[in-house]
Amino acid sequence: MDYLIKKISALETYTVRHPVLREGKPIESCLFDGDTLNTTFHLGLFDEGNLVGVCSFLKSKHALLKEESQYQLRGMAILKEKQHLGLGKLILSHGENLLKQQNTQIIWCNAREKAVGFYKKTGYQIIGLPFDIKNIGQHFIMYKAL
Ligand SMILES: CC(C)(COP(=O)(O)OP(=O)(O)OC[C@H]1O[C@@H](n2cnc3c(N)ncnc32)[C@H](O)[C@@H]1OP(=O)(O)O)[C@@H](O)C(=O)NCCC(=O)NCCS
């Protein structure tokens, strides 16, 4: 299969964020805080020209992590019909490599309970206690040294 991964705008992520992460919610719910900061970037994975996966990287420090240079992974999503084909791993590792090149030490995320297995497989570990995000459910803080 021929996949292309490239930087896209925050707005472009909505076609995947909406059905996968905000199903049934208004399109405005796809806007995340910090989406348009100049330190934030968004990646899109294209399958034969169609956007099928997205993830975003926001410069943000977590209080439980001591490293100076940290990024938060946000909006990790692969269209349902394209999940479990290795695409999540592919786009995430592309983003991690870009962060590594700019000397980011740690990447972390608020992982939905259902996605913890995916993050563990890609080298992330849990820190701290689980917490609830209103309307979405239980989350775990997970991180990985780059
Ligand atoms: C979570 C998600 C991004 C993973 O992407 P994906 O393309 O389906 O995952 P991949 O095929 O790249 O899987 C990589 C590895 O993780 C494993 N994996 C994937 N999803 C998993 C899950 N939910 N639980 C346990 N393991 C999982 C795969 O089996 C694979 O293992 P392998 O390397 O041994 O073969 C995708 O399923 C998704 O968009 N889910 C809905 C939205 C979501 O929950 N996003 C995360 C919000 S925090």
Side-chain angles (χ1 to χ4, degrees):
M1 275 288 186
D2 226 9
Y3 299 111
L4 171 73
I5 298 172
K6 63 173 184 179
K7 286 189 180 172
I8 58 173
S9 69
L11 211 56
E12 284 173 288
T13 66
Y14 290 13
T15 55
V16 179
R17 276 187 187 175
H18 197 231
V20 181
L21 297 170
R22 295 289 184 268
E23 194 182 9
K25 300 199 171 123
I27 195 79
E28 300 77 49
S29 65
C30 292
L31 172 71
F32 296 169
D33 284 346
D35 256 357
T36 54
L37 293 174
N38 59 14
T39 46
T40 299
F41 65 96
H42 310 272
L43 293 181
L45 187 150
F46 295 81
D47 176 10
E48 293 174 351
N50 300 311
L51 184 63
V52 299
V54 298
C55 55
S56 302
F57 302 88
L58 172 83
K59 193 169 173 55
S60 168
K61 273 177 88 165
H62 196 287
L64 291 178
L65 298 164
K66 63 180 187 324
E67 284 78 3
E68 198 49 46
S69 176
Q70 303 182 19
Y71 258 79
Q72 180 184 4
L73 166 66
R74 303 208 63 191
M76 174 78 240
I78 304 292
L79 287 182
K80 199 166 193 164
E81 60 274 21
K82 296 289 178 180
Q83 289 175 6
H84 305 297
L85 297 174
L87 301 185
K89 199 172 176 173
L90 202 63
I91 190 172
L92 179 55
S93 65
H94 189 99
E96 290 170 353
N97 285 334
L98 293 176
L99 289 174
K100 216 163 156 171
Q101 283 165 25
Q102 61 178 56
N103 300 319
T104 302
Q105 295 161 290
I106 291 274
I107 180 168
W108 64 273
C109 65
N110 292 325
R112 293 178 181 204
E113 196 169 12
K114 270 174 68 178
V116 165
F118 166 72
Y119 291 116
K120 281 190 175 163
K121 276 275 167 106
T122 49
Y124 288 69
Q125 55 186 297
I126 292 173
I127 186 169
L129 295 171
F131 62 99
D132 201 60
I133 297 184
K134 203 174 158 227
N135 300 327
I136 304 180
Q138 177 147 269
H139 283 70
F140 292 80
I141 305 149
M142 296 187 79
Y143 73 98
K144 177 181 179 176
L146 295 174

